[in-house]
Amino acid sequence: MNNVIKINKNELCIDKKIMEFKYDIRDAKVIDNQIIVLLSIPFNVNEIDNIYAVSLDCKINWKVESLSIINPNGNNLPYENMFFNNGELTATDFYGRRYFINITDGTIEKRDIVK
């Protein structure tokens, strides 16, 4: 992959294409010809599903499966951190709940607590 990828606040630049998000980008990882983007959600906003996969031609491949669907009665929070180790994408929230996210379609495959 010889693409030039840059992040400037809420903009993801891939070569000469730009994708603008509503919130700043906290982290981004290049995985399998896509960029997985973690957005930084302000405290006064209720959005919780803040991970996206973006193709190299600046199109959204998927948005992470909604926590309000898999945990409708839970105290769901936005993701704070994102990791890619040994072929697994994981994300954690403020409470230390870890979610294992499928890099192909954004579904949550399992979860645990890492505190």
Side-chain angles (χ1 to χ4, degrees):
M1 177 169 69
N2 294 338
N3 300 86
V4 176
I5 299 168
K6 295 180 184 177
I7 295 170
N8 184 19
K9 292 194 178 218
N10 69 330
E11 292 181 342
L12 174 66
C13 306
I14 305 169
D15 297 326
K16 297 194 185 289
K17 299 175 190 92
I18 297 174
M19 173 165 281
E20 188 173 329
F21 290 94
K22 188 174 181 180
Y23 305 106
D24 287 353
I25 297 170
R26 174 173 287 180
D27 193 7
K29 307 214 180 297
V30 178
I31 304 169
D32 293 344
N33 291 320
Q34 60 185 354
I35 298 97
I36 310 296
V37 176
L38 171 67
L39 300 180
S40 182
I41 305 298
F43 291 114
N44 61 342
V45 175
N46 290 330
E47 185 160 339
I48 55 173
D49 306 317
N50 57 322
I51 297 177
Y52 293 82
V54 179
S55 67
L56 295 177
D57 58 351
C58 270
K59 292 185 172 80
I60 293 179
N61 289 341
W62 53 257
K63 180 179 181 179
V64 69
E65 182 178 12
S66 179
L67 288 173
S68 61
I69 292 172
I70 65 164
N71 191 20
N73 299 321
N75 184 12
N76 298 317
L77 296 171
Y79 299 103
E80 295 288 325
N81 292 297
M82 178 174 70
F83 308 93
F84 186 69
N85 293 316
N86 299 322
E88 286 188 315
L89 179 66
T90 59
T92 57
D93 67 12
F94 179 78
Y95 289 139
R97 296 176 289 200
R98 177 173 56 181
Y99 298 87
F100 294 78
I101 301 168
N102 183 304
I103 59 173
T104 304
D105 61 10
T107 56
I108 296 174
E109 297 177 330
K110 63 182 178 176
R111 57 189 168 167
D112 62 11
I113 296 175
V114 293
K115 280 198 171 190

